[in-house]
Amino acid sequence: MIALFTAGCATLAITSCSSASDTPKASPTPSAIQPTKPADPTETAKKDAIATYQTYWKEVEKLYADRSGKSANLKHYAASAALKNAEQDAKRAHDRGLLLTGQVTVKDPTVTKVVTHGKLDYAVISSCLDISRWKTVKADTKKPVTLPANRLTKYVIQSTVERWPEGWRVTRDEPQDRRC
């Protein structure tokens, strides 16, 4: 058995060696070499901030729709005032026997400012928040609640998203009281 193993290794060694008569492999020409350009930290920050912001609103939907608040993972996407305000507002609605169901749509999120150097990286995002398909219902009956007809259901909102050690977090939401 050792002889077979040794013979196999010897055969492998012989076939893997090259000789002077072998044709050398061509090296790539300079034009074929594509240097990898490092990712632009500003563009990466913008993409990451917007992705976090959009996921944040999906988690806000879950928080308002679930009276227990256990189905939402908002703490993974929000902190500071944004987290506190969302949790307090959802609790206030739930305490009144109300749920908000349906969908919030974030339209045209645009980074209006980004800082990727300094103590804390952050981005300011402006978007159109469409809550027209987010319905207020009674928690026990699921029947819709009548709301004022003149309320804004599509409005400009400005949010701050910061890079924390755990990842990007929405820290502030500021509705701008303007239709979009």
Side-chain angles (χ1 to χ4, degrees):
M1 184 165 250
I2 293 177
L4 282 174
F5 178 75
T6 307
C9 287
T11 304
L12 186 60
I14 291 171
T15 58
S16 65
C17 293
S18 62
S19 67
S21 64
D22 290 341
T23 5
K25 293 184 179 175
S27 61
T29 60
S31 63
I33 299 173
Q34 297 291 328
T36 56
K37 185 177 176 182
D40 177 5
T42 300
E43 289 305 311
T44 301
K46 287 179 180 181
K47 288 177 187 174
D48 292 347
I50 287 174
T52 298
Y53 180 68
Q54 290 174 321
T55 305
Y56 160 78
W57 279 106
K58 294 299 171 199
E59 293 302 315
V60 169
E61 283 177 10
K62 292 177 190 176
L63 177 67
Y64 279 77
D66 177 14
R67 206 171 194 172
S68 72
K70 293 179 182 174
S71 65
N73 291 313
L74 196 59
K75 289 180 182 176
H76 295 286
Y77 305 99
S80 299
L83 178 61
K84 179 182 171 186
N85 293 340
E87 288 178 337
Q88 286 178 346
D89 289 347
K91 182 180 182 330
R92 201 171 8 258
H94 297 157
D95 288 349
R96 292 177 33 214
L98 303 174
L99 300 176
L100 280 82
T101 62
Q103 183 178 353
V104 174
T105 304
V106 177
K107 295 181 178 178
D108 304 319
T110 305
V111 175
T112 59
K113 181 177 183 178
V114 65
V115 173
T116 58
H117 54 281
K119 281 186 171 181
L120 184 67
D121 292 355
Y122 70 93
V124 177
I125 298 173
S126 180
S127 66
C128 178
L129 197 65
D130 180 352
I131 60 169
S132 63
R133 292 184 281 169
W134 207 17
K135 305 298 179 196
T136 303
V137 299
K138 294 186 180 196
D140 53 350
T141 64
K142 305 296 188 260
K143 289 187 178 181
V145 173
T146 305
L147 298 172
N150 63 344
R151 71 187 184 101
L152 281 177
T153 59
K154 296 177 185 174
Y155 55 90
V156 176
I157 188 166
Q158 191 170 6
S159 301
T160 302
V161 186
E162 298 175 353
R163 185 187 336 237
W164 288 37
E166 303 84 12
W168 287 91
R169 302 289 189 269
V170 176
T171 58
R172 193 171 329 134
D173 280 324
E174 297 171 347
Q176 301 297 300
D177 253 354
R178 293 191 321 245
R179 290 188 191 281
C180 53

